[in-house]
Amino acid sequence: MERMAKNRLIVASVRLPVTMTRGEQGWQVAHSTGGLVTALSSVLERQKFTWLGWPGAYVDEADRRTVTRELAKHGTSPVFIEQEHMDPFYQGFSNEVLWPLFHNLMERARFDRNNWRSYRTVNQMYADAIAKIARPGDVIWIHDYQLCLVPQLLRAKGLGCPIGFFLHIPFPSAETYRTLPVAEDLLRGLLGADLLGFHAYEYVSNLRMAALRVLGIESEPAALRLQSREVQLEVMPIGIDPGEIAEMLRTAEARKELTELERNYAGKRIIVGVDRLDYTKGIPQKLEAYEEFLHNHPEWRESTVLIQVAAPSRTGVEEYQNLKRSVDELVGRINGQYSTPNHTPVVYINQSVSRDKLAVLYRAADVALVTPIRDGMNLVGLEYVAARGQRGGTLILSEFTGAAHCMPGARLVNPFNTSQVATVLGDALENEGPNFETFAHMSRFVNENTSLFWAKRFLTRLEHLSGDPHHEAKLLRINEEPVLGLVKNARSPLVFLDYDGTLRSYVINPKEAVPDARILNVLQRLAEYATVYVVSGRDRRTLEDWLGGLPIGLVCEHGLSIKPPGGEWQDRTNVSGSALARFVRPLLEDFSRRTPGSAIEMKQAAIAWHYRGADPEYGSFQAKELLTRLEDLLKRRPYRVLRGNRVIEVRHEHVTKGSAVGHLLDRHPDADFLFCAGDDRTDEEMMNAIPKAWRPRAVTCWVGSRNVTADYWRESDASLLGELEAMIRIWRRGSAQPPAAGKGGRKKATASGPARAKKRTSTTQATASGRAPRSAPGPQRRAKKTP
């Protein structure tokens, strides 16, 4: 038996492939239906996996163990959702907000804050359930819009597993998506995945634009570039199992039903429509188009029949009740006007029909009329092609379906243009028979792009990511070994911290990234036990204004100048920004004038062009052009171009954080522990500059996600501050009074315990605005000669 993946697979979706119901005989298991169940059924035959999901009903605490055991027999594991959360999560937020919004029907979306809270709660339940059974190296595959937050919630747990997410519905245009009040939260949840899969590139393009406009994240056609990693984007249209359709049609019962169907409609052309009764499926538009067709073509009124299956959906929701009433009225109107004693033009089936009976209906139909106003993929057309086989046929397909992008023989229509649909239907019926050449193109896609191929392709791509070195980094937890031992044993620690994106989150205007009271407090207390340096790309004046009153060291402009704790600024290299001002600034000024919202920042030995305030799409476009121009301008000149978070900076090639770190390590030869944290390319230089001899006593941490450069990671600046506070508490417990830090932190412990410092005579207090006054004195420290 062919294995599809080397590692264990965990699948998560809202619904399981089986449903639990409670009757007189106790809990019973029934097999579920649906596109995902159908698509993954063939996968189960080749690779067993654990499928997590809601069991289909509320289960009391007393029955949960029994239900769990029963579901385990079917390779599934339940996520028990409390009654108070299920309806707000599923019906309230998923189906009253995300479903219409993602189908570009934002006027139907009704946002409620309580429903959003339940959505978050249930997503956390799923993340907890997955984390409970997942082991490092497992492959996790999450499905659909109800679980958009799960990828990031799992990433925050640091499982060390590749995470895939497949969206089975469309992703809307950025303009529509941005109307969602929690657009940022939902998008960050999705971007926790390593691989995002979609049915069509249109949806990929929409996601990329939403990421740019909502989060300011730039991307390539196949990847979103985050600060520390990439999210891979793949177009993977789902398929069906054509062999299963063929098997259904080979049964004696199917042959009998087909014969009866063809006898009942002998001499007539059969048009079939199969939809769920949902406002996205375009059933009213389809009926109006058929009505217009009958009006324009009297010759076809008694020789065509539209068999429309409309499976009931969300019957308790008023909006769907109104839709049913509308469809009922349309069917009644058409049949009332065009029926004869011997013929009814519309056969309306408002009930669920089994898949084997649908296969017979497809087989008998000359034309399949599939006209959703918006649909992620829509498998009806694929099933029709598989069922018709050598008979051929005509597929009339809405251009607003994912299937429209991969069925080259289909007749594409705009369902809103009922006259066009009526005309295309007339043309299809006027032809004496199907176009076998175009039908062959569709058959080839259906037979090659099977559901098994789709799943195998996704899992192969996802499993490949498990070998990515990004997945080797561990979530930083100061209170766990081996980090705990390094921190507790440190007597002369060094701490190197980047500022923007590491201690402080990014803001639109870089000048507004003032440190808040928490940042100042953490740095102040950290300096009581360690020698601390903030290693930043900021200029000297800004660092002095924001952090100059703290007893810490400062490194400005990526290492141009260094100010040791309690010392004065010292230039490391004789580099001037005058040359940059002369031949680079005019170019940046030109781009600044052409890009509203952008600005230039001139530093002592560097120059930067910020475009966080510009229109995201236009700013990204201008940045690409600027990079090309700078590449030509700086040829054979000793300068490097850095592209950061919506900023482009030009600096001298000899000024790097890496060289600054090497210099600082030489300054502090007695240090016995190093903690280093950062979040962008310049911080990779800083970490890569740490000598191998230092690695056993160093902890490197990336903020945002995993990164190949760092051994550990934290998901945000706030969480890093939390770990730094934990580090302070460990050192505080190790000495009743703050020890003398001097040049390199704590003195070595004596036989009677750790060294104690003189009491501080003053302290630096953060002001109410969050600024540290430059004149505020730091704590008294043991005087040592600054190297």
Side-chain angles (χ1 to χ4, degrees):
M1 181 179 292
E2 177 190 7
R3 281 194 57 80
M4 295 177 57
K6 300 175 185 176
N7 300 327
R8 195 175 64 147
L9 172 63
I10 299 172
V11 171
S13 63
V14 167
R15 293 188 179 274
L16 291 170
V18 294
T19 300
M20 299 294 294
T21 55
R22 186 168 188 173
E24 295 180 359
Q25 305 297 323
W27 287 97
Q28 303 293 321
V29 177
H31 287 277
S32 305
T33 60
L36 181 60
V37 173
T38 303
L40 291 183
S41 60
S42 55
V43 177
L44 280 168
E45 298 174 2
R46 292 164 172 79
Q47 178 183 354
K48 300 301 179 184
F49 55 82
T50 300
W51 193 328
L52 282 86
W54 180 55
Y58 173 72
V59 181
D60 289 325
E61 193 76 38
D63 292 337
R64 291 183 177 181
R65 183 172 296 179
T66 300
V67 169
T68 300
R69 281 199 304 266
E70 190 63 33
L71 288 173
K73 299 175 184 177
H74 300 271
T76 62
S77 181
V79 177
F80 296 114
I81 303 175
E82 303 301 328
Q83 288 177 314
E84 63 184 283
H85 291 302
M86 187 61 203
D87 189 64
F89 151 72
Y90 187 72
Q91 183 58 41
F93 187 78
S94 297
N95 290 332
E96 290 185 359
V97 178
L98 296 186
W99 178 263
L101 191 77
F102 276 44
H103 287 83
N104 277 350
L105 299 170
M106 59 183 178
E107 70 279 1
R108 293 179 179 268
R110 293 186 291 273
F111 179 80
D112 179 271
R113 187 68 59 177
N114 290 328
N115 293 345
W116 164 242
R117 279 193 283 268
S118 289
Y119 183 88
R120 288 187 304 176
T121 297
V122 173
N123 273 248
Q124 186 66 62
M125 290 177 180
Y126 269 82
D128 293 342
I130 294 170
K132 188 175 181 179
I133 66 172
R135 300 189 299 259
D138 286 351
V139 176
I140 300 172
W141 191 5
I142 304 158
H143 289 271
D144 228 0
Y145 64 104
Q146 302 95 341
L147 303 178
C148 287
L149 302 180
V150 174
Q152 182 56 40
L153 292 173
L154 286 175
R155 185 164 294 281
K157 291 178 176 291
L159 297 182
C161 302
I163 302 169
F165 183 96
F166 196 91
L167 185 66
H168 292 266
I169 64 174
F171 194 91
S173 66
E175 287 71 24
T176 298
Y177 181 78
R178 288 162 62 197
T179 65
L180 180 65
V182 290
E184 182 174 340
D185 304 73
L186 207 73
L187 200 51
R188 290 194 186 281
L190 285 173
L191 298 188
D194 297 289
L195 175 64
L196 290 175
F198 303 86
H199 291 303
Y201 183 71
E202 178 186 353
Y203 311 152
V204 172
S205 180
N206 287 346
L207 176 102
R208 293 178 56 211
M209 188 55 62
L212 179 62
R213 291 198 169 274
V214 175
L215 300 178
I217 297 174
E218 298 175 344
S219 60
E220 300 296 336
L224 276 164
R225 295 194 307 268
L226 305 184
Q227 282 296 105
S228 55
R229 63 186 182 93
E230 289 188 346
V231 179
Q232 300 299 312
L233 307 174
E234 290 283 350
V235 179
M236 299 182 181
I238 197 172
I240 63 170
D241 183 357
E244 181 190 25
I245 301 289
E247 285 291 329
M248 291 176 180
L249 292 169
R250 277 196 286 267
T251 66
E253 184 179 357
R255 290 197 297 269
K256 179 182 177 181
E257 289 184 3
L258 180 60
T259 300
E260 185 177 348
L261 193 61
E262 290 176 335
R263 183 174 60 249
N264 290 340
Y265 296 104
K268 299 178 181 179
R269 306 290 288 278
I270 299 175
I271 306 162
V272 66
V274 176
D275 303 281
R276 188 165 54 84
L277 191 56
D278 187 279
Y279 52 75
T280 65
K281 301 302 181 181
I283 299 176
Q285 290 85 349
K286 179 191 302 186
L287 291 170
E288 289 171 356
Y290 185 58
E291 182 179 34
E292 184 171 340
F293 161 74
L294 293 176
H295 174 78
N296 295 338
H297 296 276
E299 70 277 15
W300 285 108
R301 290 176 184 172
E302 293 190 47
S303 54
T304 62
V305 59
L306 170 62
I307 303 177
Q308 176 63 53
V309 177
S313 176
R314 302 168 191 164
T315 54
V317 179
E318 182 180 0
E319 197 164 18
Y320 286 78
Q321 294 169 353
N322 294 335
L323 174 63
K324 181 182 182 303
R325 188 159 41 250
S326 174
V327 171
D328 289 345
E329 291 173 356
L330 278 168
V331 171
R333 188 173 77 194
I334 295 170
N335 285 339
Q337 186 172 0
Y338 296 108
S339 289
T340 68
N342 300 317
H343 177 68
T344 302
V346 179
V347 176
Y348 178 50
I349 305 172
N350 183 218
Q351 63 185 44
S352 297
V353 178
S354 64
R355 296 188 70 246
D356 54 346
K357 292 185 182 299
L358 286 178
V360 173
L361 185 56
Y362 293 141
R363 182 76 166 177
D366 301 281
V367 177
L369 190 55
V370 185
T371 58
I373 59 175
R374 193 67 172 168
D375 214 340
M377 181 64 181
N378 195 293
L379 299 178
V380 170
L382 281 68
E383 292 176 342
Y384 170 75
V385 170
R388 289 291 290 181
Q390 297 301 316
R391 290 188 174 192
T394 301
L395 173 61
I396 300 176
L397 183 62
S398 166
E399 65 181 272
F400 302 120
T401 64
H405 299 273
C406 46
M407 299 292 277
R411 300 287 299 273
L412 300 185
V413 294
N414 179 349
F416 296 100
N417 187 344
T418 54
S419 295
Q420 180 201 29
V421 177
T423 300
V424 171
L425 180 58
D427 290 344
L429 294 173
E430 289 293 337
N431 295 326
E432 293 185 1
N435 186 324
F436 288 98
E437 182 178 351
T438 58
F439 193 86
H441 291 307
M442 295 189 290
S443 293
R444 187 176 302 113
F445 172 81
V446 170
N447 290 318
E448 292 177 356
N449 193 76
T450 64
S451 56
L452 177 62
F453 174 81
W454 167 77
K456 185 175 181 179
R457 181 183 170 197
F458 189 96
L459 292 172
T460 300
R461 184 77 180 90
L462 182 58
E463 191 173 56
H464 174 73
L465 296 176
S466 66
D468 193 324
H470 291 175
H471 291 274
E472 295 178 1
K474 299 177 181 179
L475 186 70
L476 177 67
R477 292 187 174 97
I478 293 293
N479 287 309
E480 294 182 4
E481 297 291 354
V483 178
L484 177 60
L486 292 173
V487 174
K488 289 176 69 174
N489 294 326
R491 290 296 173 263
S492 186
L494 270 174
V495 177
F496 297 157
L497 301 170
D498 171 53
Y499 185 77
D500 291 285
T502 300
L503 291 174
R504 178 69 161 83
S505 57
Y506 290 102
V507 294
I508 294 296
N509 184 352
K511 295 181 180 179
E512 296 177 357
V514 180
D516 59 26
R518 185 185 185 191
I519 295 173
L520 295 171
N521 183 262
V522 166
L523 293 175
Q524 172 73 53
R525 290 189 294 148
L526 202 58
E528 296 174 2
Y529 304 94
T531 300
V532 180
Y533 282 90
V534 170
V535 185
S536 173
R538 295 278 183 171
D539 62 85
R540 181 186 300 188
R541 177 178 296 179
T542 300
L543 291 181
E544 277 288 350
D545 286 344
W546 290 354
L547 305 173
L550 296 172
I552 64 173
L554 301 173
V555 179
C556 72
E557 297 192 30
H558 304 292
L560 176 68
S561 302
I562 296 176
K563 176 187 175 185
E568 300 297 327
W569 283 101
Q570 304 166 5
D571 292 335
R572 290 192 50 250
T573 181
N574 186 22
V575 175
S576 170
S578 58
L580 291 175
R582 187 173 62 256
F583 66 87
V584 173
R585 181 162 187 146
L587 176 62
L588 299 190
E589 287 177 340
D590 178 49
F591 272 79
S592 185
R593 285 190 295 268
R594 292 162 44 192
T595 314
S598 66
I600 298 172
E601 179 187 7
M602 192 71 211
K603 304 179 183 180
Q604 180 179 339
I607 187 170
W609 182 66
H610 297 273
Y611 58 102
R612 289 181 204 158
D615 177 88
E617 185 178 3
Y618 187 58
S620 179
F621 172 79
Q622 291 288 78
K624 291 177 182 178
E625 182 183 349
L626 177 59
L627 287 171
T628 301
R629 297 278 296 276
L630 286 172
E631 183 180 358
D632 291 337
L633 183 65
L634 299 176
K635 282 181 179 178
R636 294 180 293 277
R637 295 180 184 270
Y639 296 98
R640 294 182 59 192
V641 179
L642 299 175
R643 187 171 188 178
N645 189 329
R646 302 189 65 75
V647 61
I648 293 175
E649 181 170 336
V650 182
R651 72 178 189 195
H652 198 280
E653 62 183 9
H654 293 154
V655 179
T656 69
K657 286 187 179 181
S659 61
V661 162
H663 182 76
L664 291 175
L665 292 177
D666 290 340
R667 277 177 175 257
H668 301 278
D670 297 332
D672 58 0
F673 170 69
L674 172 64
F675 182 88
C676 181
D679 80 307
D680 67 13
R681 282 181 53 197
T682 63
D683 301 317
E684 289 181 346
E685 297 173 347
M686 178 167 63
M687 295 177 188
N688 285 328
I690 300 173
K692 289 184 179 180
W694 265 92
R695 289 292 174 178
R697 47 189 167 134
V699 172
T700 52
C701 179
W702 201 261
V703 176
S705 183
R706 292 177 175 85
N707 183 279
V708 64
T709 310
D711 298 323
Y712 297 90
W713 69 282
R714 287 303 307 192
E715 62 272 26
S716 66
D717 53 301
S719 62
L720 175 68
L721 289 172
E723 295 306 307
L724 293 176
E725 287 166 340
M727 188 184 300
I728 292 167
R729 287 193 293 270
I730 293 170
W731 284 335
R732 176 168 292 169
R733 286 194 297 267
S735 62
Q737 295 290 337
K743 178 182 68 174
R746 301 192 289 177
K747 293 176 66 177
K748 292 184 179 180
T750 64
S752 59
R756 304 184 186 273
K758 297 178 181 179
K759 292 184 178 180
R760 292 182 295 163
T761 57
S762 61
T763 185
T764 302
Q765 300 293 334
T767 65
S769 65
R771 288 182 180 270
R774 292 184 59 189
S775 59
Q780 294 295 315
R781 305 173 71 91
R782 180 169 299 181
K784 290 194 176 184
K785 183 179 179 182
T786 302

